[in-house]
Amino acid sequence: MREVMTKSMARNIFYGGSLFFILIFLGLSVHSHYYITTTSTNAETLTESVALGKKVWEDKTCINCHSIMGEGAYFAPELANVTTRWGVADDPEAAYEMLDGWIKAQPSGVEGRRQMPYFDLTEEETRGLADFLLWVDSIDAQGWPPNDAG
């Protein structure tokens, strides 16, 4: 090999390296999409009610205080496994009743505690939000959250 790199050699290394990393990037992107659509997401259990709950989550900007799977703010508890923590992961009606009671009891007024604002949700919105939280709790989160407390 020569001691000095020519322009032609440098150009070939640049283009070859660029092509190599573009192919790696595209391969990983395809793999990620395949994994998300076939393994990670519990798509067969998505319902209109779950979609409504996601819309309520977004419209009421719950992510400004809570997080789901680590995404969001850490002002209030992680909600990826909230139905398991409440003991209602297998009972949609109990999940609705628990969430409805919690939302109606807010703000709690306990001095020195963070307060959740009151959201005037309809029964349909509360059911949708409960179904959304049940759905989030049922997907493969790969061990997230790292502890039961969220």
Side-chain angles (χ1 to χ4, degrees):
M1 188 165 156
R2 303 175 83 169
E3 288 186 30
V4 178
M5 186 180 294
T6 64
K7 281 185 177 181
S8 175
M9 291 169 65
R11 184 175 46 246
N12 289 341
I13 290 171
F14 171 76
Y15 287 132
S18 296
L19 181 62
F20 174 75
F21 285 106
I22 287 171
L23 291 174
I24 293 291
F25 174 75
L26 290 174
L28 289 173
S29 296
V30 167
H31 177 265
S32 295
H33 177 75
Y34 177 77
Y35 179 81
I36 289 169
T37 57
T38 61
T39 305
S40 177
T41 302
N42 195 358
E44 59 274 358
T45 59
L46 280 175
T47 63
E48 291 295 321
S49 184
V50 172
L52 173 64
K54 173 70 166 142
K55 183 172 177 5
V56 170
W57 171 266
E58 291 171 352
D59 289 348
K60 301 300 182 183
T61 60
C62 301
I63 202 163
N64 285 351
C65 296
H66 293 279
S67 61
I68 286 189
M69 306 223 195
E71 292 292 322
Y74 288 95
F75 182 75
E78 163 77 35
L79 296 181
N81 65 347
V82 70
T83 58
T84 297
R85 288 195 319 257
W86 285 349
V88 295
D90 298 329
D91 187 355
E93 188 59 32
Y96 161 73
E97 290 172 5
M98 187 74 153
L99 182 63
D100 188 50
W102 176 260
I103 288 175
K104 287 179 178 173
Q106 300 305 316
S108 65
V110 176
E111 190 66 33
R113 287 198 56 158
R114 298 174 184 168
Q115 300 295 310
M116 181 172 152
Y118 175 72
F119 294 104
D120 190 23
L121 300 179
T122 65
E123 179 182 342
E124 182 183 22
E125 290 173 327
T126 306
R127 276 193 193 281
L129 189 55
D131 289 343
F132 172 65
L133 292 174
L134 284 165
W135 181 83
V136 168
D137 203 348
S138 73
I139 64 175
D140 179 12
Q142 300 180 3
W144 186 266
N147 58 48
D148 291 339

